[in-house]
Amino acid sequence: MKLGIKRRIANSWKKMSLLEKIFLVAAIVLTVLRFMIAMKIPLHIQAGAVYDDRMMVNYSTSLLSGKWLGGFNQFSLAKGASYSIFLVLNYLLGLPYSFTLILLYAIAIILLCVALFRLIKSKTFLYILYTALLYSPVMFHDENVQKVYRGGVIVIFALMIVAAIIGLYTRIEERNKKVIKWSLTASFALAFFWFLKEDSIWIMPFVVGGIGITVIHILRMKGVRREKIKKVALACMPLVCLGLAVLGYKTINLISYGEFAVTDRQGTYFKDVMTDLIKIEGEGRSKDNWVTRDMLKKAYEVSPTFAQVKKEIEKGYEGWAKDDGEIEGDIIFWAIKDAVAEAGFYENGPTVNEYYKNVHDELSKAFEDGRLRRNNDFYISSSAKGINENEISDFLELMGRSMDNVVSYEYNETGLYPATGDANGIALFDMLTMSQYVSAEAEGNFYKIEKITTDLASGIVKIYQIIGKVLFCLMVITLVVFSGYILYLLIKKRNMKGVASLYLVVVGMFGTCFTLFFGTTFFCRFLSQRKVYDYASPMLPLLLVVELISIYLFVTAGRKLLIARSNKKNK
């Protein structure tokens, strides 16, 4: 067996051109260097981030204790469990967190390159693509690789999903034994990804579109009907597995907490109360203030049940409110959950769900009989403030500014950040991650090597920051021209095999990136530009793939044009 593998490697090496050999060796060396850099970038432990990092770690400790996500409270159904499961599995394997992140990221990139090989036969280009992605700023960003939070894992599994869906499409005509590998990869990655964050739906345009095109391709294939049915089943398996995973997850929550939901923002009456509150017409509403004091006052007046926690909510304003006395964005909902918990309603799932149901019923009745009036906002989400006609121009300007920041990697940062929070919490993070972090007590040049490494990472990012806008502009130009070319081929009824497939992949990836970008920008109107970048960063590797493939298409088309002209002259 070993001899066979060595022989295949030797034969593959012999078949490579000199240029391919150079790029392969360079890719291997750069991979080793990238792992070394990753292992020397210290974590930024935030043990005091109760609603983010600490919550994920608390979930992990509960999982290790066999208690699912812990005893029932306002945090139990706040977020999905995938990231905490990731932390637990990594801890049980005894691997440093930093190592696992870069390892899985490299595997995801390799999967993508292998999947694309059927559409792009140039190994040299794929080596370039692999290296460019490996050194992408997104996995040097503190939000994704230094915080013990879900950002980096979202990036990794988004890449895996895209790779698996492309692989499923490009290999669908092969034997089912090969097809099933891509189908299983897509099924696992999609199911795991779904419970990483509450906005995971942004990946679905690519998934549904890719599976749909794959099914259409299968139906147009020649062959036995029974074989086609098998292939359709393999193509649709990721969606079926996702449905089963959601059902299983909800069932676990039902058994553990008495609530058949993934999170309380998606499947409980808490979601309905959020929707009711943000739709109340009241004074002081803006892109920053989703639910104002005036809106809460109106809710208290018509909902005796909600008025029961008025004292606790008003108390919560002391810690959450900004200078104008209001609470920004969706933070108001955290304040309400804390208030309801303090009032004693988070005894168990059915109890608190009944409380929110009563509030929702009372608010709904008030809307119906006119005691409450709905605002005129347009909503794309039931748990985020809508937009009115006076805010559209500002939103479009924000989108333009945000896109400029995203494609130029402006807010990408790597640094030395001392651990914060209580000593026991920091020790817990340290135990789970088994990776380097900066101690607040360290003095002098104790982290000299780490400083050199983070400076090196920042230097690499600067290269991408310089060329980021250029790549994006080239991509836009190429996509416009290539769209025209595809339209021309359609009109002329020319053969588009291969060209159309790559075009669909590129457009699909760009479309799903834009879905995330639009949703993030819409939600983050009350946050800083930096947070838009943080939340939109999972799209950056996919966008880089689109940019590089666009350049590849541009160069390839240029070469073909030059060759054609040369042949004409020779004739």
Side-chain angles (χ1 to χ4, degrees):
M1 184 68 179
K2 288 183 179 179
L3 184 62
I5 293 173
K6 288 180 180 179
R7 190 173 294 165
R8 284 199 293 269
I9 293 172
N11 290 335
S12 298
W13 179 260
K14 287 179 182 178
K15 291 178 182 178
M16 288 183 186
S17 66
L18 178 60
L19 185 62
E20 287 176 347
K21 289 178 180 178
I22 292 171
F23 274 101
L24 174 59
V25 172
I28 292 171
V29 172
L30 289 171
T31 298
V32 174
L33 177 62
R34 182 65 182 85
F35 271 67
M36 292 170 64
I37 294 172
M39 293 296 289
K40 278 297 177 182
I41 293 177
L43 298 181
H44 179 200
I45 290 178
Q46 298 183 103
V50 178
Y51 299 90
D52 294 309
D53 309 38
R54 186 61 178 268
M55 187 191 298
M56 296 289 101
V57 169
N58 288 343
Y59 282 177
S60 298
T61 55
S62 296
L63 286 165
L64 284 168
S65 302
K67 298 177 182 177
W68 189 221
L69 304 182
F72 188 76
N73 54 41
Q74 69 268 40
F75 302 110
S76 302
L77 296 176
K79 298 181 180 181
S82 281
Y83 180 72
S84 298
I85 292 171
F86 172 82
L87 281 178
V88 168
L89 291 175
N90 187 66
Y91 169 74
L92 293 175
L93 289 170
L95 298 173
Y97 178 79
S98 299
F99 173 78
T100 304
L101 275 186
I102 190 62
L103 176 65
L104 289 179
Y105 182 56
I107 290 172
I109 298 170
I110 292 169
L111 281 174
L112 181 63
C113 291
V114 171
L116 285 170
F117 183 63
R118 292 299 171 90
L119 301 176
I120 301 173
K121 295 296 184 180
S122 172
K123 290 183 181 178
T124 300
F125 171 77
L126 292 176
Y127 289 139
I128 294 171
L129 178 64
Y130 167 80
T131 306
L133 284 172
L134 191 64
Y135 282 82
S136 168
V138 73
M139 290 303 275
F140 284 121
H141 187 36
D142 54 10
E143 180 76 14
N144 298 327
V145 297
Q146 293 190 273
K147 286 181 64 177
V148 185
Y149 202 48
R150 52 195 181 182
V153 181
I154 292 172
V155 170
I156 291 164
F157 277 87
L159 268 179
M160 282 189 179
I161 291 168
V162 169
I165 295 297
I166 294 172
L168 191 59
Y169 170 68
T170 57
R171 266 63 169 195
I172 200 65
E173 294 185 15
E174 297 182 4
R175 290 181 302 171
N176 287 341
K177 285 184 178 180
K178 292 187 176 181
V179 177
I180 198 170
K181 293 177 182 178
W182 291 102
S183 183
L184 288 173
T185 302
S187 299
F188 166 72
L190 181 60
F192 192 85
F193 179 84
W194 196 256
F195 306 111
L196 279 170
K197 201 177 178 189
E198 298 67 58
D199 65 352
S200 297
I201 196 169
W202 69 269
I203 202 74
M204 294 308 286
F206 188 86
V207 173
V208 174
I211 290 174
I213 292 169
T214 302
V215 170
I216 293 171
H217 181 65
I218 293 168
L219 297 177
R220 295 179 63 184
M221 285 165 48
K222 295 179 180 179
V224 183
R225 183 181 177 185
R226 185 178 176 183
E227 190 64 23
K228 286 186 178 181
I229 292 173
K230 288 181 181 179
K231 288 188 179 295
V232 168
L234 288 174
C236 294
M237 194 184 347
L239 294 177
V240 174
C241 287
L242 176 61
L244 292 174
V246 170
L247 179 62
Y249 195 101
K250 287 182 175 182
T251 302
I252 292 172
N253 279 338
L254 178 63
I255 295 169
S256 301
Y257 305 124
E259 297 212 54
F260 190 68
V262 174
T263 68
D264 55 15
R265 289 199 179 199
Q266 296 170 325
T268 70
Y269 280 104
F270 173 68
K271 178 200 73 170
D272 296 319
V273 171
M274 286 196 301
T275 303
D276 294 333
L277 291 174
I278 61 177
K279 290 187 176 180
I280 295 173
E281 186 181 272
E283 295 178 4
R285 291 178 69 255
S286 67
K287 65 179 180 62
D288 296 327
N289 304 331
W290 291 9
V291 180
T292 64
R293 286 180 180 271
D294 181 61
M295 295 162 71
L296 288 173
K297 180 183 176 182
K298 291 178 178 179
Y300 299 143
E301 291 172 353
V302 300
S303 172
T305 307
F306 189 54
Q308 291 177 40
V309 298
K310 177 181 178 180
K311 181 180 68 175
E312 287 81 5
I313 292 176
E314 295 303 315
K315 180 182 175 183
Y317 262 83
E318 296 173 11
W320 291 106
K322 51 180 182 158
D323 292 340
D324 64 357
E326 301 288 358
I327 295 178
E328 285 188 316
D330 72 331
I331 297 173
I332 183 64
F333 301 125
W334 285 110
I336 290 172
K337 286 178 74 174
D338 286 346
V340 174
E342 189 176 342
F345 289 102
Y346 271 89
E347 182 181 343
N348 53 55
T351 299
V352 75
N353 205 35
E354 181 66 22
Y355 170 81
Y356 286 123
K357 179 183 183 302
N358 292 335
V359 175
H360 170 61
D361 290 343
E362 290 164 0
L363 292 176
S364 297
K365 187 175 180 181
F367 279 123
E368 290 173 7
D369 61 27
R371 284 177 294 153
L372 284 181
R373 295 180 59 183
R374 298 181 190 274
N375 56 59
N376 295 319
D377 284 3
F378 170 74
Y379 291 87
I380 64 170
S381 170
S382 60
S383 58
K385 183 191 175 299
I387 190 169
N388 57 55
E389 57 183 17
N390 297 324
E391 297 173 332
I392 292 176
S393 60
D394 288 339
F395 174 62
L396 292 176
E397 189 273 332
L398 175 64
M399 280 191 67
R401 196 158 21 98
S402 298
M403 181 61 78
D404 183 74
N405 294 331
V406 168
V407 301
S408 64
Y409 306 98
E410 182 174 345
Y411 292 100
N412 213 96
E413 295 180 1
T414 313
L416 297 180
Y417 308 106
T420 58
D422 61 288
N424 288 336
I426 292 172
L428 185 59
F429 276 70
D430 182 30
M431 180 197 75
L432 275 174
T433 61
M434 294 169 283
S435 295
Q436 289 179 293
Y437 70 95
V438 178
S439 171
E441 288 77 30
E443 298 179 357
N445 293 323
F446 191 78
Y447 295 101
K448 191 172 184 179
I449 300 298
E450 287 75 11
K451 179 67 167 62
I452 293 171
T453 306
T454 53
D455 286 346
L456 175 60
S458 298
I460 293 168
V461 170
K462 282 181 180 178
I463 297 172
Y464 285 80
Q465 289 173 334
I466 292 169
I467 64 174
K469 290 183 183 179
V470 175
L471 289 176
F472 184 77
C473 290
L474 285 174
M475 177 202 72
V476 172
I477 294 169
T478 303
L479 283 181
V480 171
V481 174
F482 205 59
S483 295
Y485 177 60
I486 292 292
L487 183 61
Y488 168 79
L489 292 178
L490 279 171
I491 294 171
K492 294 293 183 178
K493 297 181 179 180
R494 301 278 181 87
N495 181 21
M496 294 191 298
K497 191 175 181 180
V499 177
S501 296
L502 191 56
Y503 176 75
L504 288 171
V505 167
V506 167
V507 171
M509 290 175 73
F510 182 77
T512 213
C513 285
F514 186 78
T515 301
L516 175 61
F517 174 75
F518 180 84
T520 296
T521 308
F522 194 92
F523 177 83
C524 289
R525 283 172 291 160
F526 72 98
L527 294 170
S528 65
Q529 286 285 290
R530 160 65 193 256
K531 294 311 294 180
V532 176
Y533 183 83
D534 290 346
Y535 292 159
S537 62
M539 70 179 257
L540 289 173
L542 302 180
L543 191 62
L544 182 59
V545 173
V546 176
E547 291 169 345
L548 293 178
I549 290 178
S550 298
I551 293 172
Y552 169 79
L553 289 171
F554 183 81
V555 172
T556 304
R559 283 177 59 191
K560 287 182 179 179
L561 185 62
L562 289 173
I563 292 170
R565 285 188 175 182
S566 178
N567 290 337
K568 281 185 179 181
K569 286 182 179 180
N570 291 334
K571 288 181 180 180

